[in-house]
Amino acid sequence: GENVEQHPSTLSVQEGDSAVIKCTYSDSASNYFPWYKQELGKGPQLIIDIRSNVGEKKDQRIAVTLNKTAKHFSLHITETQPEDSAVYFCAALTGGTSYGKLTFGQGTILTVHP
Amino acid sequence: GAGVSQSPSNKVTEKGKDVELRCDPISGHTALYWYRQSLGQGLEFLIYFQGNSAPDKSGLPSDRFSAERTGGSVSTLTIQRTQQEDSAVYLCASSSGGSGTFGAGSRLTVL
């Protein structure tokens, strides 16, 4: 089955700096890669996603890049703010269709220091 | 409702008891997932329902775990003869394709 590896497990940055979280996946049939932000006591919330026919997607301060050949994708957060502090999860959708099983990475605890 | 609703939000039970966790998905979402999140850990896939297809049960950790989805809507995750290692947050998500919308989870504590 699909295996998603996520690094780093913890990331600490100063407010205003950029943060980068990287994930690799194993199943070349995976075609959809969402990123989630989870705050304490809440369920994960989708923040950005990318499909396999796109190399990069940006939404204000966050962006995701995808390298299908290398089977890795990354989340980039620029101009970080304290409210960005949370746990971030990457995921890969297996099954070859829009529906299928989401396999998650282990998560990254991001701390943004004021 | 506007989101995915899970109940109970917290459940404390004694080892050996059975528990039922409920998920009300977003209306019209045909896909429904259950995940388990242990303290400080990632999301472990449990089971996936898609429309009228047979569910993907490949993530259920043992035969003590089962889930059903009635009428293509509400889902119940049942854990029989609970063990302490079952303590975790159980998350439900529903989807109309692609990413899922998660509920807030049900925190299960087995004493």
Side-chain angles (χ1 to χ4, degrees), chain B:
Chain B
V4 176
S5 178
Q6 291 188 245
S7 61
S9 56
N10 278 286
K11 176 73 175 179
V12 180
T13 190
E14 293 179 347
K15 178 181 173 181
K17 300 282 189 181
D18 297 351
V19 296
E20 286 189 349
L21 307 176
R22 177 186 169 105
C23 174
D24 283 89
I26 292 173
S27 178
H29 280 190
T30 59
L32 187 147
Y33 308 78
W34 283 97
Y35 290 85
R36 178 168 72 174
Q37 187 173 32
S38 300
L39 187 63
Q41 300 297 309
L43 285 82
E44 176 190 4
F45 168 79
L46 297 177
I47 189 169
Y48 160 62
F49 297 89
Q50 173 51 50
N52 295 322
S53 301
D56 178 349
K57 304 179 181 180
S58 60
L60 295 178
S62 77
D63 59 8
R64 296 187 295 105
F65 288 72
S66 63
E68 62 178 22
R69 188 178 185 191
T70 54
S73 180
V74 172
S75 177
T76 302
L77 176 68
T78 301
I79 309 172
Q80 295 178 311
R81 306 180 302 283
T82 52
Q83 303 295 312
Q84 289 183 331
E85 58 263 31
D86 298 335
S87 296
V89 176
Y90 290 81
L91 290 160
C92 174
S94 70
S95 169
S96 59
S99 70
T101 300
F102 281 84
S106 291
R107 180 177 297 278
L108 174 65
T109 303
V110 182
L111 301 177

Side-chain angles (χ1 to χ4, degrees), chain A residues 25-81:
Chain A
Y25 61 99
S26 61
D27 190 344
S28 57
S30 292
N31 61 357
Y32 175 71
F33 308 93
W35 285 88
Y36 291 84
K37 176 183 181 183
Q38 187 176 27
E39 297 176 320
L40 197 62
K42 298 182 180 180
Q45 300 290 312
L46 178 71
I47 56 171
I48 195 168
D49 55 10
I50 190 167
R51 296 196 178 273
S52 58
N53 59 347
V54 176
E56 183 175 0
K57 183 176 178 181
K58 189 173 182 180
D59 182 4
Q60 298 184 340
R61 295 188 298 109
I62 59 173
V64 57
T65 59
L66 171 66
N67 183 325
K68 282 184 62 178
T69 303
K71 294 204 283 286
H72 68 69
F73 55 113
S74 300
L75 177 72
H76 305 252
I77 306 174
T78 58
E79 301 171 30
T80 53
Q81 301 169 1

